[in-house]
Amino acid sequence: MRRAIIRGTGHYLPERIVENSWFEDKLETSDEWIRSRTGIERRHFAAEGQTTSDLGIRAARAALERAGMAIGDIDGIILATSTPDFTFPATATIVQAGLGMSRGFAFDVQAVCAGFVFALANADAMIRAGQADRILVIGAETFSRIMDWTDRGTCVLFGDGAGAVVLEAQDGAGTSDDRGILASDLNSDGKYRELLYVDGGVSATGTVGKLRMQGNLVFRHAVEKLASTAHTALGRAGLTGADVDWLVPHQANLRIISATAQKMGLPLDKVVLTVADHGNTSAASIPLALSVADGAGRFAPGQVLLTEAIGGGLSWGAVVLRW
Ligand code: UT7
C-alpha cells in the first residue's frame, strides 16, 4: 500500500513582529486581555508589497532543503490559503513559477483555517492513487490584509506566515505501524457561514472585504468539533488518544487547544504550541507549528502526530500520521 511520508518541513515568518502592546493605544484592549483570553503575545505582519506567494515560496524552499530535494523532484503543489495574491490565477501557480517549476500541477485549496488539513488529506489521496510521487503542500496567509483594524474582537488575533511540507510516496504494509499519513477526516457545514466569514468577494460585492467573526460561538463549535474529528481520524487509523505522541493543532486560541487536548486525555507537554509567537495564521498555522517543532528536533521517527483545525465554513478536520 502506498503511503505519503513527510520528507521535509519549512516555514517563513515576515520580519515585522507586532507585540500585543502595539494595539493598546489604537483600541480599547490590553496585552493582559489578549494574553489571558487567547494565549497570543505577538504576531508577524507582512511588509507592504509582500504577498502570500512570497511567503509561500520561502517556506517551500526551506522544506525542499530539509527534504534534500530540488524543485525538479516535485510533481505538484497544493497551497491552502484564504488570502490569495489575486482572484486568479491560483497562488500555487505563482509559487510554482517563483520556484522555477514548469511541470506538474499547482492549485489552491480554500477551507480557511482548516485549509492545510484539507490540502494534506487531498495530497495524501493523490499520492495513494498514484497520481503523483512527491507533492509540496503549503499553507500561506496574509490575514493582516483582511482585518478591520477597528474591531478589537478580531484584529488582535491574526498574523501572517507560511509553512510547507514535502510529501513523498513510500510503500507500507497497510497497517497503523506504517510511516506516513494513516487516516484523515474532513467536514464542512455551510449553514454556519455567518459565524466566521469575509464580507466581500468577487461575485457577491466586487470587493475584498474584511473578516467578521462571532468568536464565542466559533469557540463553542471548535472545542466540540475538534475533539470529535480527532476521534474519528484516530479510529480510522486503528489508534486512540493514548497512541498520540504529539498533537499539532491549529493555533487559534490556547484555551481551545487546552480544552481539546484535555478532552482527548493529552497533557499540554504533548502539544506543539506556537500561538504565543505567531497568533492565528489560519491555513499556515499547522505547517508553521510542524516546521518549528521539527526544526527543534522534537519529533522522533515512529511517533504518532495528530493535526486538527476548524475555520470559516464552518470547515474542520484532522489528519493522523506516523513520523
Ligand atoms: O481560526 C478560526 C477559528 N477561530 C477561532 O477559533 C476563534 C474562536 N474564538 C475565540 O478565540 C474567542 O472567542 C475570542 C478570543 C475571539 C474571544 O474570547 P471570548 O472569551 O469568547 O470573549 P467574548 O467574545 O465572549 O467577549 C468577552 C468580552 C466582551 O465584552 P462584554 O460584551 O463582556 O463587555 C468583548 O467585547 O471581551 C470583550 N473583548 C475584548 N476586550 C478587550 C473582545 N475583544 C477584546 C479585546 N480586548 N481585544
Side-chain angles (χ1 to χ4, degrees):
M1 177 178 180
R2 274 165 73 96
R3 294 286 198 188
I5 316 281
I6 294 188
R7 290 290 187 214
T9 61
H11 69 273
Y12 175 74
L13 289 157
E15 267 175 42
R16 184 176 169 216
I17 298 172
V18 172
E19 302 287 339
N20 288 346
S21 55
W22 183 79
F23 293 94
E24 286 177 343
D25 60 359
K26 296 170 182 67
L27 296 160
E28 207 174 305
T29 189
S30 63
D31 173 45
E32 203 285 323
W33 190 95
I34 302 169
R35 261 174 214 257
S36 62
R37 304 309 291 169
T38 71
I40 297 166
E41 297 175 21
R42 58 193 64 82
R43 72 287 291 139
H44 294 246
F45 285 152
E48 211 184 310
Q50 193 173 35
T51 59
T52 294
S53 66
D54 292 333
L55 312 188
I57 288 166
R58 286 175 187 247
R61 283 202 185 113
L64 285 168
E65 198 180 317
R66 274 206 200 138
M69 288 185 200
I71 189 61
D73 298 326
I74 300 297
D75 302 319
I77 298 174
I78 306 181
L79 183 143
T81 192
S82 299
T83 46
D85 289 16
F86 298 102
T87 301
F88 77 76
T91 303
T93 62
I94 303 172
V95 169
Q96 182 196 28
L99 292 171
M101 174 181 169
S102 52
R103 66 174 197 92
F105 58 84
F107 64 91
D108 290 358
V109 162
Q110 221 289 38
V112 205
C113 297
F116 184 77
V117 166
F118 276 55
L120 200 57
N122 275 278
D124 172 49
M126 291 184 82
I127 284 177
R128 282 189 291 105
Q131 275 188 298
D133 290 328
R134 293 183 200 92
I135 300 181
L136 248 175
V137 187
I138 305 170
E141 302 277 17
T142 48
F143 260 53
S144 62
R145 304 272 153 74
I146 52 167
M147 289 299 105
D148 173 351
W149 298 106
T150 65
D151 178 10
R152 68 177 182 171
T154 55
C155 73
V156 302
L157 305 175
F158 294 89
D160 301 336
V165 304
V166 179
L167 287 184
E168 184 177 40
Q170 181 180 295
D171 284 332
T175 71
S176 59
D177 291 333
D178 287 348
R179 283 191 65 200
I181 296 177
L182 299 174
S184 56
D185 178 53
L186 303 180
N187 312 269
S188 303
D189 192 341
K191 76 170 171 283
Y192 295 119
R193 185 179 77 87
E194 296 290 329
L195 300 190
L196 176 50
Y197 65 103
V198 167
D199 63 4
V202 181
S203 184
T205 62
T207 61
V208 171
K210 300 290 181 203
L211 182 146
R212 306 292 169 205
M213 178 166 72
Q214 297 181 49
N216 46 8
L217 293 182
V218 176
F219 191 108
R220 268 181 251 161
H221 281 284
V223 176
E224 174 225 324
K225 290 183 165 52
L226 289 173
S228 149
T229 186
H231 182 74
T232 303
L234 282 168
R236 283 183 189 150
L239 301 172
T240 69
D243 298 305
V244 176
D245 295 293
W246 291 104
L247 175 63
V248 190
H250 171 48
Q251 310 279 323
N253 186 317
L254 183 57
R255 288 158 54 220
I256 295 176
I257 295 171
S258 306
T260 310
Q262 199 178 9
K263 272 197 159 193
M264 296 179 60
L266 287 170
L268 265 191
D269 60 5
K270 286 189 168 189
V271 184
V272 176
L273 293 172
T274 53
V275 65
D277 293 328
H278 302 169
N280 182 347
T281 57
S282 186
S285 92
I286 290 175
L288 267 164
L290 281 171
S291 175
V292 167
D294 182 26
R298 294 177 77 184
F299 304 143
Q303 286 190 328
V304 172
L305 270 63
L306 172 71
T307 66
E308 37 85 333
I310 184 165
L314 295 177
S315 286
W316 66 100
V319 172
V320 186
L321 62 100
R322 192 176 290 283
W323 194 252

